[in-house]
Amino acid sequence: MTVEERHAIAAWLVEGLTRAEIGRRLRRPTSTITREVARNGGVAGYRAAAAATSSRRRARRLGDPAPRSGAVRGFEERFAATMAHSGLARTPARILAALLTSDDASLSAADLMRRLRVSAASVSKAVGYLEALALVRRERGPGDRRERYVVDDNAWYRSWQREVEICAMWAGAAREGAKVMSDSPAGARLTLLGDYFDHVGRDLADAADRWRPLFT
């Protein structure tokens, strides 16, 4: 987190803004703002300069921007394995697990290379894959020289909306085929397929909208 962001947090806390609203303004996860405030004096005692000093001390002491205990490392590996087993490619799964288990769901390419012991090319390719799934986005804060990869609070909604769009594509393609092969068993089969994906897509959209407030 940058010095400018910490000064903004301090000012907005004085104004009475919630951590969720501050996160939206900074384009950071609410959980990141909550942890930043909690470990640096709380709402009443948060000071930007003190928070920056504390962060630098932690970094020098730990020597790693994302220190993890053995238990956390073990969970991260199991979490990545679970995602890989569900169909996500191995390196993207490891990167997504690393982002989700970091304090602010944000790491740089250098962080990921050091943490996962993979090449810059592997990170770039895997992040591009996760971006295509709408799970990860890139950001560069004020004064930042390094690009960071982020899983924000809207990632899951965006990803689910992508699935809704895919269902709509399948439904449209199936119905086009049904028209081409009307009055045939294949046409009837494609009609059912189009109806299926139409209904599934609507259900996914409704569920995504219904549960989105959990992250706001």
Side-chain angles (χ1 to χ4, degrees):
M1 188 163 288
T2 67
V3 173
E4 291 82 1
E5 287 175 320
R6 288 191 165 104
H7 280 291
I9 290 171
W12 287 331
L13 287 174
V14 171
E15 292 178 18
L17 269 62
T18 66
R19 266 78 86 201
E21 176 59 27
I22 292 173
R24 280 191 288 271
R25 291 191 180 191
L26 292 178
R27 298 179 66 189
R28 294 270 195 172
T30 301
S31 56
T32 298
I33 306 302
T34 299
R35 280 190 293 270
E36 169 70 15
V37 172
R39 66 189 179 190
N40 290 296
V43 173
Y46 186 86
R47 300 291 183 274
T53 299
S54 177
S55 177
R56 287 193 296 270
R57 287 173 178 169
R58 282 196 300 271
R60 285 196 298 269
R61 182 174 69 251
L62 297 168
D64 185 341
R68 297 162 296 159
S69 67
V72 172
R73 284 195 298 272
F75 168 74
E76 184 179 314
E77 291 170 3
R78 292 192 300 275
F79 195 17
T82 297
M83 289 188 282
H85 184 70
S86 70
L88 194 62
R90 183 172 182 272
T91 301
R94 294 183 68 208
I95 286 178
L96 186 56
L99 290 170
L100 289 171
T101 54
S102 67
D103 276 352
D104 59 0
S106 168
L107 293 169
S108 69
D111 294 336
L112 288 167
M113 290 166 59
R114 179 169 53 250
R115 183 163 175 160
L116 303 179
R117 298 183 180 180
V118 294
S119 68
S122 294
V123 170
S124 179
K125 183 177 179 180
V127 168
Y129 178 78
L130 293 170
E131 282 183 305
L133 296 178
L135 289 172
V136 169
R137 64 175 175 79
R138 301 167 190 255
E139 73 170 24
R140 183 178 283 120
D144 281 355
R145 289 177 294 178
R146 294 188 304 172
E147 193 172 59
R148 298 185 70 81
Y149 309 125
V150 181
V151 179
D152 61 36
D153 291 336
N154 284 318
W156 312 110
Y157 181 78
R158 290 195 305 270
S159 182
W160 217 242
Q161 287 298 107
R162 179 180 176 276
E163 297 302 315
V164 172
E165 293 170 3
I166 290 173
C167 283
M169 290 170 57
W170 273 86
R175 285 185 176 135
E176 180 184 355
K179 290 179 181 178
V180 172
M181 291 171 275
S182 60
D183 300 324
S184 73
R189 186 182 309 118
L190 288 170
T191 296
L192 289 175
L193 183 64
D195 290 343
Y196 173 80
F197 277 105
D198 185 47
H199 289 303
V200 169
R202 290 180 185 179
D203 286 346
L204 289 175
D206 289 343
D209 287 333
R210 184 166 63 252
W211 297 111
R212 189 180 187 184
L214 284 175
F215 289 97
T216 60

